[in-house]
Amino acid sequence: MGFPTIDFGWLGNGNLIGMMAVLHVMINHAVAIGGSILMVSIEFVAVRQGNERLEAFARRLSKWILMITTTVGAMTGVGIWFTTTVIEPYAIGSLLRIFHWAWFTEWLVFVTEVVLILVYYYTWDRWSGSKKKWHLRTGVALCVASWFTLVLITGILAAQINPGNWVETLSFWSAFFNPTWVPSTLFRTFAAITLGVALLTPINRWFVKDERDRHVVLKVYGKWLIASVPLMLLFGVWYQHSLPEKAKTLVVWGSGMNDFTFNFVNMTGLVLMFVLGVLLLEGKSRFSAILTVFTALFSLMLLAEFEIVRENIRKPYVVYNYMYANGVLKSQVDTFRKEGMLVSSPFTSVKEITEENKIQAGEELFRMQCIVCHSIDGVRRSRAMTVRTAGWTEEAIAAFIPHMNEARPVMPPFAGTDAEVKALAAYIHQMTAEQNAD
């Protein structure tokens, strides 16, 4: 393999990518998209009513949105690049080749978004009176730019789970305008607004002092929430129907819940969020604080669930029907089984397996083909070898490896020779025995 491998040990490589991605998506969706839309909506109402107190609240929101998106948002965005590039370089390399211009355009749009939030924040006093319309238009442009980054990135992410006929055509347009792009984009859009409402509603009590102003702001939140919740459900169902057939069967499995729990949790949560929207629409500030906190937490959990499910249902692929999760191309498996994987890697000193270097060879193979999802003894116990192979003999592990994708269809097939199978089995068995003996 053409890249060095990096092991993040107990934390787990896949866990690191997942945590960074979920954190960035939550910040981007809740603050940059949902928060911006709500902020500009409040300013619009404030200008229409001539309410300086509401305008001051919108201005205060713009300060926090500016700080969060240009610091934590930007850093976690770079964090995704760092983690995915060092852990899954083949996947990122393939996506860059497919979506080179889309990614470049997304960077231009992000720069535009940063410029617009800076202009929006620093022109509150300059663009007042008759010039106020320019400030509002800048806010609308900011919302559009923030949303357009979502549109572009979703096109890239959606292609991983259903690239349409890209595998045959190798066309950028086939990959970007894939079957899941539109429903995924729209689901994320209304999830972002819902998340924005959920996070801003609790702080409303502290930042909006006047009771009448608070009622106005709550009505703004309520209108957006009542519209967003059913649309989020609609586009979520559409998204599920646009998935490849095999991926559809993995949705509930990917969430880590059973069928009943999955349906009950999600439907109950959406109903309670809609109820909160109705209460907000009435403009009453004396609604259940528990319901408000629940909506905030459930919105975060729903978005995290979406990201986790999206990652899991494309297994065993990282780019569906093209590249497996460990970076091995579907078309390369037979070649590696005949010629071996170790001989093709410039970053391993083991080219020919012997009794003396078998454990070292097995470790190299584990890092090449397993470490993206598994660890020897990591925090995610269901994917730790010390748990998965506890009590197994070395021969049993060696017998399982060539057929693991048949027993567990979410796992890629092993791409290596019989000697490499035995080396990997020897390494896993030794490490499991050592860890469980401690």
Side-chain angles (χ1 to χ4, degrees):
M1 301 292 277
F3 291 94
T5 56
I6 296 178
D7 183 1
F8 285 95
W10 179 81
L11 179 60
N13 289 15
N15 292 337
L16 181 61
I17 292 177
M19 289 186 295
M20 187 64 68
V22 169
L23 178 60
H24 176 71
V25 167
M26 285 180 175
I27 293 171
N28 181 66
H29 283 43
V31 180
I33 299 172
S36 294
I37 290 173
L38 296 171
M39 171 187 67
V40 175
S41 299
I42 293 169
E43 185 193 9
F44 176 80
V45 172
V47 171
R48 188 178 60 182
Q49 295 181 354
N51 190 326
E52 294 182 358
R53 296 184 304 275
L54 276 185
E55 190 172 342
F57 174 56
R59 182 174 186 169
R60 192 172 186 177
L61 286 179
S62 69
K63 177 182 178 181
W64 285 103
I65 291 174
L66 169 63
M67 290 192 298
I68 293 172
T69 55
T70 56
T71 54
V72 184
M75 286 189 292
T76 53
V78 174
I80 291 178
W81 271 105
F82 170 76
T83 54
T84 54
T85 300
V86 299
I87 294 172
E88 296 193 23
Y90 294 99
I92 295 301
S94 294
L95 292 175
L96 281 172
R97 285 191 289 272
I98 301 168
F99 298 108
H100 175 83
W101 290 111
W103 240 315
F104 175 70
T105 303
E106 191 275 335
W107 179 78
L108 294 178
V109 174
F110 175 73
V111 172
T112 302
E113 179 186 349
V114 172
V115 170
L116 286 171
I117 186 61
L118 287 169
V119 172
Y120 184 79
Y121 177 72
Y122 286 106
T123 56
W124 278 98
D125 295 325
R126 292 186 180 183
W127 288 347
S128 58
S130 60
K131 294 183 178 180
K132 192 62 182 175
K133 61 182 180 181
W134 291 106
H135 193 263
L136 283 169
R137 289 173 181 173
T138 302
V140 173
L142 168 64
C143 294
V144 172
S146 300
W147 179 74
F148 200 55
T149 59
L150 181 148
V151 171
L152 292 170
I153 289 298
T154 301
I156 297 170
L157 296 178
Q160 289 183 272
I161 184 62
N162 192 349
N165 62 350
W166 171 81
V167 176
E168 292 79 28
T169 66
L170 299 180
S171 166
F172 163 82
W173 302 110
S174 297
F176 190 81
F177 294 112
N178 59 82
T180 59
W181 174 57
V182 172
S184 181
T185 298
L186 294 175
F187 172 84
R188 287 177 177 275
T189 299
F190 292 104
I193 296 172
T194 300
L195 190 56
V197 171
L199 294 181
L200 287 180
T201 299
I203 69 172
N204 209 51
R205 298 174 182 268
W206 295 283
F207 287 176
V208 184
K209 302 300 183 181
D210 187 270
E211 189 71 19
R212 292 167 299 179
D213 295 340
R214 195 177 298 167
H215 289 180
V216 174
V217 173
L218 292 177
K219 287 182 178 180
V220 172
Y221 294 164
K223 289 177 181 178
W224 278 112
L225 194 56
I226 283 180
S228 296
V229 170
L231 288 173
M232 185 169 55
L233 175 61
L234 173 66
F235 294 124
V237 172
W238 181 11
Y239 173 74
Q240 184 172 349
H241 282 284
S242 69
L243 296 172
E245 289 303 316
K246 182 179 177 181
K248 291 179 185 178
T249 66
L250 296 175
V251 170
V252 176
W253 170 84
S255 70
M257 297 181 273
N258 58 42
D259 289 342
F260 173 79
T261 305
F262 179 82
N263 292 322
F264 177 79
V265 168
N266 286 288
M267 293 307 301
T268 302
L270 290 172
V271 168
L272 290 175
M273 286 198 297
F274 189 81
V275 170
L276 176 64
V278 173
L279 295 175
L280 292 173
L281 193 61
E282 295 177 356
K284 297 179 180 179
S285 59
R286 295 183 179 278
F287 51 82
S288 174
I290 295 177
L291 183 59
T292 306
V293 173
F294 167 81
T295 301
L297 294 177
F298 182 78
S299 297
L300 292 171
M301 292 173 59
L302 185 66
L303 199 55
E305 177 191 71
F306 180 80
E307 291 300 312
I308 292 170
V309 168
R310 183 182 63 80
E311 288 293 318
N312 284 332
I313 62 177
R314 69 171 183 240
K315 300 291 176 62
Y317 300 103
V318 66
V319 179
Y320 213 80
N321 208 33
Y322 172 70
M323 178 183 287
Y324 289 112
N326 53 18
V328 176
L329 295 179
K330 186 178 180 181
S331 59
Q332 292 177 318
V333 173
D334 289 339
T335 301
F336 285 136
R337 283 177 173 172
K338 293 177 182 177
E339 301 176 2
M341 174 167 281
L342 292 173
V343 296
S344 67
S345 175
F347 293 99
T348 177
S349 59
V350 181
K351 302 299 180 183
E352 183 177 352
I353 300 174
T354 65
E355 282 300 317
E356 290 72 26
N357 66 18
K358 184 166 65 173
I359 300 300
Q360 180 186 351
E363 181 180 7
E364 294 286 352
L365 289 163
F366 184 83
R367 291 164 70 97
M368 290 178 184
Q369 296 204 42
C370 311
I371 206 169
V372 170
C373 299
H374 294 280
S375 62
I376 292 297
D377 188 34
V379 61
R380 194 169 181 180
R381 306 305 291 165
S382 63
R383 294 190 180 181
M385 290 295 102
T386 52
V387 176
R388 298 296 294 271
T389 60
W392 288 40
T393 64
E394 183 177 327
E395 290 74 19
I397 297 172
F400 176 75
I401 290 173
H403 306 286
M404 60 187 180
N405 59 304
E406 300 168 13
R408 295 185 60 80
V410 294
M411 295 181 68
F414 180 74
T417 63
D418 290 341
E420 290 177 333
V421 168
K422 294 176 181 178
L424 177 59
Y427 170 72
I428 292 175
H429 180 261
Q430 178 172 305
M431 296 303 297
T432 300
E434 290 177 359
Q435 293 290 337
N436 288 331
D438 293 339

